[in-house]
Every structure is written in structure tokens, then in C-alpha cells.
């Protein structure tokens, strides 16, 4: 059966590389109208042009023939934790990468059993999306800890806990495009994407907890409006930040550890709670553990020592890494269920890119050449 070219894949590949139609048309030396027609299916590129597109966008030709999965759609908005100056082009690229990763997870589920999702969605009780109260957010955080059996102490490895509970995590290099992390419900499964350029463990843990807050509390919010310009976004970002602090540092236990407003004391607390000094200061402020003057003193010390940019222990604390997809692919390879070549062909991405999505060691999916010996040494006289 002859494979059919999927026009959508050309647009997806282009967008994921942060290219405009104009960018691609210039590199292909064709008109913008023709590229647009390629992407809508009104015109099919010749095989020669498709090979050029493949080379420019760095996707194998097989990617452009890969069928679109049925019912593959987001069931919530994409929640971006990003700088306000992050470009729309970068966010669109991140969304396309997210869809590709979701397809990778679905592909792996054909062969392995991945953990079931254990993350309840919270429903809004009003249509106006009024801000959640501090008490509600604190209760959501403690409720999730109870559901996951985490107690009220420091979480040893948050990356392990989220993946054990069926949340799919990928660390994608976003080339310093001012996006820290983003998350989405896709086909009723939760996904978290972290920027691999942000590599301090305390920051990664806060990003994960922040995205958990979105997935838990804001899952039913879906709109075609420009969410980035909506005042609702600011409300949700604040709520997710509050959830992250409450989830990582439960008040009933964290406040017992705070007995000084010395910045050196907070450096010691960082060892135990695996949270940034900055987030602990804001948590103290939210809980009213320290006075306004003490909070101001700590913030002044952070500025004086340049800790807002780089904190003590950032280089010493081991970084928590995604492992679920990595384990799945290694299991398939070790048991000879699939070959590296099959995986790359089925997914439609080059091995290096799949390795990045799944946090595999470089070279894992490199196709090994058959080097069986066909010569031997002559016997010496």
C-alpha cells in the first residue's frame, strides 16, 4: 500500500523549528504561497522538494508520511511558565514538540505498561473563575500529598513521584527562549515539559510543582481566546505558585524548621527541603512565619549576595531526571522487541531527537553496522 503524504506534518515540522512560512520559502527558493499550499495539501511537493524540506527542517522523510493519531487533541490549554517577553514563535514550537512527545508516549504504550494516571482534576464551581482561596490551595496541596502517600516532610525525589503517578515528563532544550516549563492535559493524560537549559535541582522541583498546580486546579479551563493576554492567566500563575510552595513545604512541618532570619540558616534549610532559598522566603511570607522586617532583610541579603540569580548549593545538589520513557525504550531494546532503526522509523524522528525527548544516553538509538569478521590472520611459519 502506497503511503500518503500528510501536509499537516510539514507545518508541524516547520513550526517546531521556530520557522515562519517566509523563512522556509526563502530556503526552498519558492514562493510563500507555494509553501502554504504544501501545508494545506492543495499542492504536493515533488520528491526532490520534500527531500529539501526534510534536510532544512531536520526531520526524516518518513515523518511527513506519518498518519495523524485519531483523537489526539489537548483537553486543556497549554500552561506556560515563561517570561512575558517569550516569543509566540517559541511557544508554538514548544506546543508542536509537546504533540510529538505525546505521540512517542502513545507509541510506547503499544508495547509496555506505563503507570496509570493518579492526579484528580479539580472542578471550578463558578463560571467567573474567581480566585481560589489560600485555604483551598493549601488543602489541594495536602490532598495530593495524601493521595501519593508523601506525608508532610521533604519530598526525596519529586521526579520519581510524578512519574510513578502517571505524569509524563520530558526535558526539552528550548534554546534559552525564556520558557521555564509548560504542561497540558492531552487525551486525558497529564504531561509536563521542562526546559533542559534550566538545570538547578531546586528550580526544576519548583517548576514541576508549579505545573502540578496547573494540571490539578486548572484542568477544566479550555478556551480558544488569546489566553496569554487574559487576566485569568495572572490569576492561574499566582495560584500555581502558591500551590508549589504549599506542596513542597507543608506549613505544619516547614514552619517548625524556621527559627532564624539569617540567610545562612536558609542555606542549611535548602539541604533538607531541596527548595530554593527564594521560594522558602516567599513561603515564610505566605505563612506569616517571619515579620515584614525580617522578610525585607532576607530579600536585601539575597540582592546583596547576588543570590536571586545563582544560589549556594545549586551546583552541589544532584539533578532529578525523567526516566519513564527511557526505561520503556531500554526494555524494548534489551528484550529484542524492537530495534533502534524500527523505533526511529515508527516515531518519524532522527535518533538524536528521540534520545532528547526520552532523556536517553546519546547513541542509544544509533543503528549499529554489522561488523562480523570475515577475515582471519594467516598462520605463521
Amino acid at each position: 500500500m502506497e503511503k500518503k503524504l500528510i501536509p499537516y506534518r510539514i507545518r508541524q515540522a516547520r513550526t517546531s523549528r521556530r520557522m515562519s512560512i517566509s523563512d522556509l520559502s526563502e530556503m526552498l527558493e519558492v514562493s510563500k504561497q507555494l509553501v502554504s499550499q504544501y501545508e494545506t495539501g492543495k499542492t504536493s511537493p515533488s520528491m526532490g522538494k520534500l527531500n529539501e524540506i526534510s534536510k532544512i527542517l531536520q526531520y526524516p522523510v518518513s515523518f511527513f508520511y506519518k498518519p495523524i493519531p485519531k483523537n489526539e487533541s489537548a483537553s486543556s490549554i497549554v500552561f506556560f511558565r515563561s517570561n512575558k517577553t517569550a516569543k509566540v514563535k517559541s511557544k508554538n514550537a514548544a506546543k508542536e514538540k509537546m504533540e510529538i512527545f505525546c505521540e512517542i508516549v502513545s507509541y510506547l504504550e503499544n508495547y509496555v505498561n506505563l503507570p496509570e494516571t493518579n492526579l484528580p482534576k479539580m472542578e471550578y464551581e463558578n463560571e467567573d473563575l474567581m480566585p481560589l482561596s489560600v485555604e483551598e490551595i493549601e488543602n489541594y496541596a495536602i490532598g495530593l500529598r495524601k493521595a501519593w502517600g508523601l506525608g508532610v516532610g521533604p519530598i526525596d525525589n519529586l521526579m520519581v513521584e510524578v512519574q510513578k503517578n502517571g505524569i509524563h515528563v520530558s526535558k526539552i532544550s528550548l534554546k534559552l527562549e525564556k520558557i521555564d516549563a509548560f504542561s497540558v492535559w492531552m487525551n486525558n493524560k497529564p504531561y509536563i515539559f521542562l526546559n533542559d537549559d534550566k538545570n538547578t535541582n531546586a528550580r526544576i522541583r519548583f517548576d514541576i510543582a508549579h505545573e502540578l498546580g496547573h494540571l490539578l486546579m486548572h484542568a477544566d479551563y479550555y478556551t480558544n481566546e488569546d489566553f496569554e493576554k487574559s487576566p485569568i492567566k495572572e490569576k492561574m500563575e499566582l495560584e500555581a505558585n502558591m500551590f508549589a510552595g504549599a506542596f513542597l513545604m507543608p506549613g505544619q512541618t516547614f514552619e517548625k524548621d524556621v527559627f532564624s532570619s539569617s540567610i545562612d540558616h536558609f542555606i542549611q534549610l535548602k539541604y533538607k527541603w531541596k527548595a530554593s532559598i527564594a521560594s522558602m522566603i516567599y513561603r515564610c511570607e505566605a505563612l506569616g512565619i517571619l515579620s515584614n522586617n525580617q522578610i525585607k532583610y532576607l530579600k536585601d541579603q539575597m540582592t546583596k549576595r547576588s543570590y536571586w540569580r545563582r544560589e549556594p548549593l545549586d551546583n552541589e545538589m544532584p539533578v532529578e531526571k525523567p526516566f519513564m520513557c527511557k526505561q520503556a525504550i531500554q526494555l524494548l531494546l534489551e528484550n529484542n522487541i524492537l530495534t533502534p532503526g524500527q523505533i526511529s522509523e515508527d516515531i518519524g524522528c532522527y535518533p538524536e531527537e528521540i534520545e532528547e525527548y526520552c532523556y536517553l544516553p546519546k547513541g542509544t538509538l544509533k543503528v549499529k553496522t554489522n561488523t562480523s569478521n570475515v577475515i582471519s590472520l594467516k598462520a605463521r611459519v
Side-chain angles (χ1 to χ4, degrees), residues 4-7 10 34 37-39 41-47 49-50 53:
K4 183 180 178 182
L5 182 71
I6 310 297
I10 299 176
L34 186 56
Q37 289 172 2
Y38 289 162
E39 295 185 358
K42 291 181 179 178
T43 303
S44 292
S46 65
M47 185 52 68
K49 277 299 176 190
L50 186 61
I53 293 170

Side-chain angles (χ1 to χ4, degrees), residues 133-151:
S133 69
V134 172
E135 184 180 1
E136 284 177 306
I137 294 171
E138 294 279 338
N139 287 338
Y140 287 157
I142 291 299
L144 185 59
R145 274 180 166 259
K146 286 181 179 178
W148 288 2
L150 296 175

